Amino acid sequence: MPNFILKSARETDWPAMIAIHRRARKSELGLAEDASIPAALPDLEATLPGFDGFIWLAQGMNQLFGFVAVRGKEIVWLYVDPDYHRAGVGRALLRFAMTKCGRGVHATMIAGNAPALALYRSLGFNLVSSDTVTVPGFFAPKSSWRLECHDLRYPLSPGEDR
């Protein structure tokens, strides 16, 4: 596991967050490594200035490993640098966000992302609905899954930073 701390995001962190988001979206949307994300796809860069929630980073020495964003009881974004998938970064970010949201935390994700679904389920989330969403720049609609967690079975202990 990489060595990192969890901290609040600042505007100066946005370029690194955007870079991680662009790289991670390829696997999330099922794109080939050499495929580019459609230009019409909403980018984090356009969304960050007006975001009205909280964002926390998994930050190492001069390196961002991932981030999680929360609005109310919703986990809006959870992205980890693909070089650090399955290294505990996403789990630490998700657990931290869960403690901030409390019972009834929920998230929506693109259906078919088996590693993400396994992470959410391992921390007590349940799949509660499936829907079809239109993703700009794609010819066919994508399915999305809504997940909820009412049982915080792995709460973060006070003082735990990762």
Side-chain angles (χ1 to χ4, degrees), residues 25-102:
R25 289 285 275 179
K26 289 182 184 295
S27 61
E28 178 188 34
L29 295 172
L31 297 172
E33 192 61 36
D34 59 352
S36 59
I37 296 174
L41 192 62
D43 199 323
L44 188 66
E45 187 171 9
T47 310
L48 279 170
F51 183 68
D52 60 348
F54 299 95
I55 304 172
W56 295 282
L57 311 174
Q59 178 83 48
M61 186 65 106
N62 299 317
Q63 182 173 6
L64 181 63
F65 296 107
F67 63 94
V68 64
V70 169
R71 181 186 306 117
K73 291 196 171 281
E74 178 186 14
I75 296 173
V76 179
W77 301 307
L78 174 61
Y79 286 100
V80 174
D81 184 319
D83 290 341
Y84 294 95
H85 283 180
R86 304 193 58 82
V89 176
R91 177 173 299 279
L93 286 165
L94 182 54
R95 285 179 62 195
F96 186 77
M98 290 170 70
T99 63
K100 297 298 183 183
C101 293

Side-chain angles (χ1 to χ4, degrees), residues 115-130:
L117 180 60
L119 171 63
Y120 279 97
R121 283 188 163 158
S122 75
L123 292 175
F125 281 79
N126 293 302
L127 183 60
V128 294
S129 66
S130 181

